Amino acid sequence: MFRSFTSEKEVKKESQKARDTDAENHTQTCTCMDNMFRKVSNMVFGEKFLGKTIVNGKVVLMKKNVLDFNDLGASVLDRAHELLGKHISIQFISVTHADRTSSEKALRGKLGNPAILENWISSITPLTAGESSYEVTFDWDEEIGLPGAFLVKNLHHSEFYLMTLTLENVPGHGKVHFVCNSWVYPAKRYTKDRIFFANKAYLPGETPALLLPYREEELVTLRGNGTGKLEEWERVYDYALYNDLGDPDDEDKVRPVIGGSLEFPYPRRGRTGRSPTEIDPKTESRLLLIESLQMYVPRDERFGHLKRSDFLAYGLEAVFKFLLPEFEAITDDTIDEFDSFDDVLKLYKGGIKLPKGPLNDRIRENIPLQVFKELIRSDGEGLAKYSTPEVIKADMSAWSTDEEFAREMLAGVNPVSIQLLKEFPPTSKLDAQLYGDQNSSIRSHHIEEHLDGLEVNEILKAKRLFILDHHDPLMPYVKRINSTSTKIYATRTLLLLQKDGTLKPIAIELSLPHPDDEKLGAISKVCTPSKHGVEAGIWKLAKTYVAVNDSGVHQLISHWLNTHAVIEPFVIATNRKLSVLHPINKLLHPHFRDTMNINSTARNILINSGGILERTFFTGKYSIEMSSKIYKDWVFPNQALPIDLVLRGMAVEDENSLHGLRLTIEDYPYAVDGLEIWSAIKTWVEDYCRFYYTQDDMVKNDTELQSWWKEVREEGHGDLKDKTWWPKLESVKDVIDNCTIIIWVSSALHAAVNFGQYPYGGFPPNRPTLSRRLLPEPETPEYDELKEDPQKAFLKTVTPQLQSLLSVTLIEILSRHTSDEIYLGQRECPEWTMDAEPLKAFEKFGKKLKEIQERIVNLNKDERLMNRFGPVKIPYTLLYPSSEEGLTGRGIPNSVSI
């Protein structure tokens, strides 16, 4: 005999819940029958019957699919729910007529009669994750007038992706279109029915009064309550520290919390709400690698089905989870080391033979065939083969020339670090009390023979001396890094601008901290160009140490920090503080696509402790900590391309020059093309913003806009909130300037530093990611080896085969465009706003970008502009606005999406 201990209160609660469910099912069943009756009546009697107006609509959605395969279980269960009277229903909200029955003080728009999606059962989910279209018929209440929004209730088992809803014949208004592009989960997952607004933009003060309560409630939902673990169906945007990179259970993987302190400031990332670890309550628990794709990001921020089917996210996980442990287990010397450049070239020609046995077996067992082919380029014989990088396609040796070494600072994958040298010798800004004298040891006698017969001061005055300076950011970490198997220098490289407009490296300084005490300053060597004997080998190694520095700075700072990390707070703040009705939300939204997802993936397998970045770059376990130190000096207004160029001395203000700037190096492809793109973006943003803000007071009085900007500063970039450089947001010009920077960073800047990774770094000797030994000293075996076989000495210094394979695989994935990419000047939906003037301005923006692309094509044909193609014959295409899918080395996606 069993006794129930359920309380009377619980019994009543369950009973009421059951009655509510029955009533809801009964209502939907009645609605379904009513819809069938209306449809038949409409066919027989026309759009009006018994005095009622019938409005027809079409809903476009995608049913739940996994990659390109049907989720058949979900499809069957959804049909079963339909048979049981559990449908998907839609109710419109009037923007012109109030709900007089509401007891709330604030008036709300009147709700129309619910209608259900028709023919769900008879509509078969396509074999690929394609669109499905459904009719919906509304018994139109004349008092609804113009619908400004609608509620959708999903009583099915599964979620679906709602794309658009279109009404064809709304009385007095004609066609009304809603752009949704959002996942709708079963109603039981929500506390309120999902709401979608018509795609017309309103400033808060101009929002129709009957929609205002709905607008405000939706923002409250998106902000969440700041507590608890977030589940996949939740739509919460919130902030967290980078406290999920380390693993306190493993001594080698302990990492500091990044962000939230003076020592380690950082932008915020999206909160997941996972529980803290038991050992360290400040560290968030990590997911198992097999669960990494389930890390919480708001559902609408996740990769679409096409990107997932391109194996990007899955490919990254596969590289780390299966390839790396197996390669580490291999002791064959031919796997650990490249013996010659011919060995490296086998990556692209014949392939590297992977050993038979556990490696291939484990890969084949654990990675689907499609992924295996993508990552290993298997031809069935176990060959690891990659696409030939552009840098060695035309000429196998041009990459190693001084000319190409210098040119890539202007047109390579990291064209944002070179500066005009304004004082000689170069000086350091490091604290002398901590690091002693860190000023440069380069003197006139080192470089004067390379100055075309001029004095150093004359060259400085003529603005012909430039520097790639990685000394100060790296020196505080050199001693710690060199205590591991990695050996680096902090480098300074001086370059001369020649009369033909190209650069020539004339000195490289290699610096180490004093071996007795860092406070005693730097111990430095100065290397100068040489083409003969052992000195030529030393010069080549010196350039290699610079390339290693630059590879790490590029990946950690130019790429990860200055695009991925700094943009995520803007994504979060925009969704928390700017309604989807807000014009600035509509402006910025395309430029945030997939950013939270790719950053989430990065935290779990790329920048985490023991992740791919730590294993393949010289920065190792200090990677994100180092980027935190550099973030201290990040300045938002300086991310504007014109300001950045002026600050680096690469341009001066000149009202008589194009875009108001005169470039210090006329043939600087990144700057030339970048200024064209920057100007086009700014013109588009100005046209758009001035349509909605006709005077400055409208900006000051925009409560959502002011709240958004306050949260960006105080929460998203909260560690820098007290900086005086934060721009105001008090005028239309302020809005234009700030939004232009956000769009530039998200689109063109990211494209410039990302999609050239494989064309230039896919050949490891050109962009080595770490170095394993220092410059050999005379009368040592290493020095003798450099004399006798400089190629072998070089390969023993740079990234070994294991890390090279992993690095090349990674950057090939990161350099690819997916089949669903949306580029600058494009939108996911052509009817993204009902406002005609912004649509015209956007069309003008698209045409301008096409003109710019044609101009770039013509510039690349001009043989006088030697920096645009260089010895390796690679035209500068990284700022072409458009691209096809794949490994193209061109194209500007709207967002930081990979």
Side-chain angles (χ1 to χ4, degrees):
M1 184 176 181
F2 295 91
R3 177 178 297 173
S4 172
F5 291 94
T6 306
S7 68
E8 183 179 351
K9 183 176 181 180
E10 288 173 323
V11 170
K12 287 181 178 180
K13 184 177 180 181
E14 289 301 316
S15 298
Q16 182 60 48
K17 185 176 181 181
R19 286 195 296 273
D20 290 344
T21 301
D22 289 343
E24 192 169 63
N25 290 343
H26 175 72
T27 299
Q28 287 229 350
T29 301
C30 292
T31 300
C32 183
M33 296 181 68
D34 287 346
N35 279 348
M36 290 176 63
F37 176 71
R38 282 198 304 271
K39 192 169 183 179
V40 172
S41 301
N42 189 26
M43 292 172 62
V44 177
F45 299 105
E47 291 189 352
K48 282 203 173 186
F49 177 67
L50 298 180
K52 293 184 177 180
T53 299
I54 305 300
V55 171
N56 298 312
K58 182 175 79 171
V59 171
V60 178
L61 57 79
M62 286 194 291
K63 296 181 181 180
K64 182 175 182 260
N65 289 78
V66 178
L67 293 179
D68 279 349
F69 303 97
N70 276 340
D71 185 344
L72 295 177
S75 183
V76 169
L77 287 168
D78 287 342
R79 287 188 174 88
H81 280 63
E82 280 283 322
L83 291 171
L84 294 173
K86 297 181 178 180
H87 306 289
I88 296 171
S89 65
I90 290 173
Q91 273 185 293
F92 283 103
I93 301 171
S94 174
V95 76
T96 53
H97 294 79
D99 180 1
R100 301 295 178 183
T101 64
S102 174
S103 60
E104 298 181 28
K105 290 183 180 180
L107 290 176
R108 291 173 173 268
K110 183 175 180 177
L111 289 176
N113 297 320
I116 67 167
L117 265 62
E118 301 166 13
N119 303 321
W120 185 279
I121 294 178
S122 60
S123 176
I124 304 299
T125 305
L127 289 177
T128 57
E131 301 172 6
S132 300
S133 179
Y134 297 90
E135 294 181 5
V136 60
T137 306
F138 297 93
D139 227 357
W140 200 259
D141 184 339
E142 296 292 347
E143 290 191 7
I144 288 294
L146 178 65
F150 69 88
L151 301 175
V152 59
K153 180 174 288 188
N154 175 14
L155 294 185
H156 282 186
H157 167 270
S158 308
E159 67 270 24
F160 60 88
Y161 187 72
L162 182 58
M163 301 178 72
T164 60
L165 186 155
T166 305
L167 300 178
E168 296 296 342
N169 51 352
V170 176
H173 301 283
K175 184 177 178 179
V176 178
H177 191 66
F178 295 81
V179 177
C180 308
N181 291 329
S182 180
W183 284 93
V184 179
Y185 276 75
K188 65 182 180 181
R189 299 298 189 188
Y190 301 127
T191 57
K192 291 180 179 293
D193 292 339
R194 287 295 310 276
I195 187 170
F196 293 94
F197 297 92
N199 58 329
K200 180 173 176 58
Y202 296 104
L203 296 176
E206 297 174 348
T207 307
L210 302 183
L211 287 184
L212 201 54
Y214 295 103
R215 176 176 183 149
E216 294 169 349
E217 286 173 359
E218 176 75 347
L219 283 174
V220 171
T221 298
L222 293 172
R223 287 195 286 269
N225 59 17
T227 62
K229 181 183 177 183
L230 295 169
E231 303 291 350
E232 67 169 271
W233 55 83
E234 295 190 75
R235 303 166 53 239
V236 171
Y237 294 78
D238 204 354
Y239 303 99
L241 306 175
Y242 278 73
N243 64 346
D244 61 341
L245 303 179
D247 182 1
D249 294 332
D250 185 336
E251 185 177 345
D252 292 333
K253 293 184 178 180
V254 174
R255 299 291 181 271
V257 173
I258 303 297
S261 66
L262 290 174
E263 185 179 9
F264 299 119
Y266 221 57
R268 300 297 184 260
R269 50 102 174 173
R271 185 176 78 85
T272 68
R274 293 197 306 275
S275 59
T277 61
E278 293 184 6
I279 294 178
D280 180 7
K282 293 182 179 179
T283 301
E284 185 172 280
S285 57
R286 292 184 54 78
L287 294 175
L288 297 173
L289 280 169
I290 200 168
E291 301 171 320
S292 65
L293 295 182
Q294 304 307 316
M295 184 185 289
Y296 174 80
V297 294
R299 187 66 178 89
D300 291 341
E301 303 298 333
R302 284 199 170 278
F303 290 154
H305 67 282
L306 288 174
K307 178 164 280 190
R308 290 174 65 84
S309 68
D310 285 338
F311 301 110
L312 284 168
Y314 193 38
L316 290 173
E317 180 183 10
V319 171
F320 184 83
K321 186 176 180 184
F322 301 110
L323 300 186
L324 183 60
E326 293 300 335
F327 274 127
E328 285 183 331
I330 295 171
T331 57
D332 186 349
D333 287 343
T334 60
I335 288 293
D336 290 339
E337 202 75 68
F338 287 120
D339 295 325
S340 67
F341 284 140
D342 286 340
D343 262 6
V344 182
L345 294 175
K346 286 178 184 177
L347 285 171
Y348 324 106
K349 292 184 176 180
I352 288 181
K353 182 79 173 183
L354 299 181
K356 294 180 180 179
L359 174 64
N360 268 330
D361 293 343
R362 185 175 169 92
I363 290 173
R364 292 179 186 279
E365 287 172 6
N366 290 285
I367 303 180
L369 179 61
Q370 296 94 329
V371 181
F372 181 83
K373 288 180 177 178
E374 175 71 17
L375 297 176
I376 302 302
R377 301 289 185 269
S378 175
D379 61 356
E381 296 297 325
L383 297 176
K385 186 178 179 182
Y386 297 84
S387 305
T388 303
E390 295 292 324
V391 76
I392 57 170
K393 271 189 178 178
D395 187 321
M396 289 291 185
S397 60
W399 64 272
S400 64
T401 62
D402 287 1
E403 292 84 356
E404 181 60 22
F405 171 74
R407 187 194 73 89
E408 289 182 22
M409 299 177 197
L410 301 173
V413 71
N414 189 36
V416 296
S417 294
I418 189 170
Q419 304 175 62
L420 177 71
L421 186 63
K422 298 177 181 178
E423 59 179 336
F424 184 88
T427 57
S428 172
K429 294 180 181 178
L430 290 174
D431 188 340
Q433 291 186 336
L434 295 176
Y435 301 105
D437 182 6
Q438 293 290 335
N439 293 326
S440 177
S441 61
I442 301 175
R443 295 295 181 265
S444 298
H445 69 270
H446 291 120
I447 63 174
E448 55 192 9
E449 67 175 287
H450 303 287
L451 301 183
D452 295 339
L454 299 176
E455 298 291 331
V456 173
N457 288 339
E458 293 177 296
I459 290 290
L460 278 177
K461 187 176 181 180
K463 296 185 177 180
R464 292 180 58 194
L465 206 53
F466 294 82
I467 185 169
L468 183 69
D469 192 347
H470 293 316
H471 181 279
D472 282 8
L474 299 183
M475 180 55 80
Y477 286 89
V478 171
K479 183 177 181 180
R480 281 176 279 176
I481 290 171
N482 287 358
S483 68
T484 70
S485 60
T486 298
K487 310 298 177 187
I488 68 161
Y489 294 96
T491 65
R492 292 184 178 104
T493 305
L494 295 194
L495 305 108
L496 177 72
L497 178 62
Q498 302 185 100
K499 293 177 181 178
D500 63 2
T502 63
L503 290 172
K504 177 176 75 172
I506 58 175
I508 293 173
E509 182 181 46
L510 307 175
S511 298
L512 296 171
H514 196 286
D516 296 332
D517 190 336
E518 286 183 296
K519 295 180 180 179
L520 297 177
I523 302 295
S524 300
K525 297 178 180 180
V526 178
C527 303
T528 56
S530 180
K531 294 184 178 180
H532 305 288
V534 70
E535 294 302 322
I538 289 173
W539 175 243
K540 185 171 184 176
L541 286 178
K543 290 192 295 179
T544 301
Y545 295 122
V546 175
V548 168
N549 276 190
D550 199 60
S551 292
V553 169
H554 161 259
Q555 198 65 268
L556 276 173
I557 311 306
S558 305
H559 183 206
W560 166 256
L561 174 63
N562 287 345
T563 63
H564 284 260
V566 300
I567 280 296
E568 186 161 359
F570 290 95
V571 182
I572 299 169
T574 299
N575 283 280
R576 286 169 57 87
K577 292 297 184 177
L578 295 179
S579 164
V580 293
L581 288 169
H582 200 289
I584 300 304
N585 182 306
K586 290 184 179 293
L587 173 68
L588 297 179
H589 182 263
H591 304 287
F592 298 151
R593 183 176 187 256
D594 292 343
T595 300
M596 291 187 73
N597 196 326
I598 193 63
N599 285 3
S600 169
T601 301
R603 295 201 313 276
N604 214 40
I605 62 178
L606 292 179
I607 64 171
N608 59 300
S609 58
I612 295 176
L613 195 146
E614 286 195 359
R615 290 174 181 265
T616 57
F617 283 83
F618 75 87
T619 46
K621 63 188 279 187
Y622 304 107
S623 296
I624 299 304
E625 178 183 326
M626 284 176 62
S627 73
S628 164
K629 298 294 187 181
I630 292 171
Y631 173 68
K632 286 182 178 181
D633 297 321
W634 182 80
V635 178
F636 175 73
N638 294 354
Q639 308 313 301
L641 178 61
I643 294 176
D644 168 61
L645 293 173
V646 170
L647 288 174
R648 289 192 285 120
M650 303 304 290
V652 293
E653 294 181 3
D654 181 356
E655 61 181 18
N656 296 319
S657 297
L658 188 63
H659 311 301
L661 290 180
R662 178 166 44 84
L663 294 178
T664 313
I665 299 177
E666 184 178 343
D667 183 15
Y668 182 3
Y670 164 73
V672 172
D673 297 355
L675 285 170
E676 292 279 356
I677 299 293
W678 169 270
S679 178
I681 292 171
K682 187 166 186 179
T683 299
W684 149 240
V685 172
E686 182 166 9
D687 289 345
Y688 181 88
C689 290
R690 291 198 183 280
F691 176 78
Y692 295 101
Y693 297 102
T694 56
Q695 51 189 5
D696 291 344
D697 283 347
M698 296 176 71
V699 173
K700 296 175 184 177
N701 296 329
D702 185 335
T703 54
E704 284 184 8
L705 190 73
Q706 296 302 324
S707 179
W708 168 69
W709 196 239
K710 183 174 187 290
E711 181 156 299
V712 164
R713 298 191 320 269
E714 297 184 1
E715 298 292 338
H717 285 280
D719 295 338
L720 303 179
K721 64 183 178 182
D722 295 324
K723 298 293 183 180
T724 57
W725 49 253
W726 277 106
K728 305 290 185 183
L729 200 60
E730 297 178 345
S731 68
V732 183
K733 182 180 181 301
D734 293 339
V735 178
I736 294 166
D737 290 346
N738 294 336
C739 289
T740 301
I741 293 173
I742 295 169
I743 294 173
W744 163 259
V745 171
S746 302
S747 58
L749 178 59
H750 178 259
V753 299
N754 182 71
F755 293 103
Q757 290 191 80
Y758 193 80
Y760 288 102
F763 183 62
N766 188 52
R767 299 282 295 175
T769 58
L770 58 83
S771 46
R772 294 174 286 159
R773 56 189 198 181
L774 298 174
L775 206 61
E777 297 290 341
E779 300 181 2
T780 64
E782 291 80 10
Y783 192 85
D784 293 339
E785 182 180 56
L786 182 62
K787 274 185 181 180
E788 296 166 9
D789 192 343
Q791 186 181 106
K792 190 171 184 178
F794 171 86
L795 290 172
K796 282 186 176 181
T797 300
V798 298
T799 317
Q801 194 168 18
L802 164 62
Q803 285 97 326
S804 293
L805 290 170
L806 189 59
S807 176
V808 169
T809 301
L810 170 66
I811 64 173
E812 186 177 21
I813 292 171
L814 296 181
S815 299
R816 286 180 177 271
H817 290 294
T818 58
S819 54
D820 69 341
E821 197 70 86
I822 302 174
Y823 298 94
L824 196 64
Q826 300 175 355
R827 287 269 177 158
E828 194 167 8
C829 176
E831 297 174 299
W832 57 274
T833 180
M834 293 170 63
D835 296 319
E837 287 301 314
L839 285 176
K840 289 179 183 177
F842 189 67
E843 183 180 2
K844 184 179 81 170
F845 176 48
K847 290 178 179 178
K848 181 63 177 177
L849 291 173
K850 289 179 181 178
E851 292 173 8
I852 292 171
Q853 182 159 307
E854 291 176 4
R855 195 173 304 153
I856 293 172
V857 170
N858 291 328
L859 287 172
N860 285 338
K861 294 177 181 176
D862 189 340
E863 294 185 359
R864 294 171 300 174
L865 303 175
M866 299 172 68
N867 294 328
R868 295 198 76 90
F869 49 88
V872 293
K873 307 300 181 187
I874 303 179
Y876 189 71
T877 58
L878 292 174
L879 288 175
Y880 268 41
S882 67
S883 176
E884 301 79 35
E885 68 175 287
L887 202 61
T888 66
R890 61 188 177 95
I892 304 175
N894 270 327
S895 60
V896 180
S897 57
I898 185 61

